[in-house]
């Protein structure tokens, strides 16, 4: 709506078909953990990777390397993911419920109920930074 071209990737377009159509979005099908992204090198100046990292279950290194490949030199990746060490997670752990609010069983059960996994793993800031440092990114800011 602001005049910037936006392209999305999704594993199964049918899950959000009505949303995609309603908002007239350009979304391409791609298994971001196993398939080369369908874009030329250095294509994008900005990539939003919001609340995706914690869902990757096969190869987040491949996914970040592909993300870096299609990002222009000097481009920006904004990656957001839940904070493993949030106060809520710490309280959950202290109450004997584990570090994630959902149990591992409930996260895996989502394969059957919604067609994809829930959170595979939540990361600390240091762990996310390590992934980025080792896949070609320069971490500029962490919040």
């Amino acid at each position: 709506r602001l005049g910037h071209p936006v392209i999305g990737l999704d594993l199964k377009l049918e899950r959000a078909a009505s949303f995609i159509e309603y908002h007239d979005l350009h979304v391409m099908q791609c298994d971001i953990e196993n398939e080369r992204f369908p874009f030329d090198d250095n294509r994008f100046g900005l990539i939003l990777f919001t609340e995706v990292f914690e869902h990757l279950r096969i190869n987040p290194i491949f996914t970040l390397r592909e993300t870096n490949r299609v990002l222009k030199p000097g481009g920006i990746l904004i990656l957001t993911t839940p904070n493993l060490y949030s106060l809520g997670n710490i309280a959950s752990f202290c109450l004997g419920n584990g570090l994630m609010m959902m149990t591992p069983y409930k996260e895996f059960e989502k394969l059957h109920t919604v067609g994809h996994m829930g959170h595979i793993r939540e990361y600390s800031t240091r762990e996310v930074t390590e992934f980025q440092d080792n896949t070609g990114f320069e971490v500029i800011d962490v919040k």
Side-chain angles (χ1 to χ4, degrees):
R1 291 183 181 160
L2 295 175
H4 301 285
V6 176
I7 302 173
L9 295 176
D10 197 345
L11 179 61
K12 293 185 179 182
L13 299 178
E14 61 274 11
R15 287 190 304 226
S18 61
F19 183 86
I20 292 168
E21 183 179 347
Y22 178 80
H23 292 284
D24 194 27
L25 300 174
H26 182 190
V27 182
M28 301 171 69
Q29 187 166 346
C30 181
D31 178 350
I32 65 171
E33 288 191 89
N34 292 302
E35 296 176 13
R36 181 178 167 90
F37 294 2
F39 309 115
D40 293 334
D41 295 0
N42 307 319
R43 167 105 186 248
F44 300 101
L46 173 67
I47 296 178
L48 300 175
F49 205 76
T50 56
E51 308 305 302
V52 173
F53 195 62
E54 67 276 8
H55 294 269
L56 300 177
R57 64 185 175 124
I58 298 169
N59 195 347
I61 294 171
F62 172 83
T63 304
L64 286 175
R65 286 184 177 151
E66 275 298 286
T67 302
N68 194 22
R69 179 185 65 78
V70 301
L71 188 64
K72 290 179 180 178
I76 296 172
L77 167 66
I78 297 176
L79 185 152
T80 65
T81 188
N83 179 0
L84 175 64
Y85 296 109
S86 69
L87 186 56
N89 279 344
I90 292 169
S92 178
F93 179 77
C94 290
L95 293 171
N97 297 321
L99 286 172
M100 297 189 321
M101 295 307 206
M102 294 286 287
T103 67
Y105 177 85
K106 289 180 181 176
E107 294 295 327
F108 278 96
E109 188 177 43
K110 289 180 182 178
L111 279 171
H112 304 285
T113 59
V114 296
H116 62 86
M117 293 287 294
H119 292 187
I120 302 304
R121 185 180 194 289
E122 293 190 12
Y123 297 89
S124 70
T125 301
R126 183 180 303 161
E127 292 167 334
V128 174
T129 300
E130 179 183 14
F131 270 98
Q132 291 176 312
D133 286 342
N134 289 291
T135 54
F137 292 97
E138 175 189 354
V139 177
I140 295 171
D141 192 17
V142 176
K143 292 189 177 21

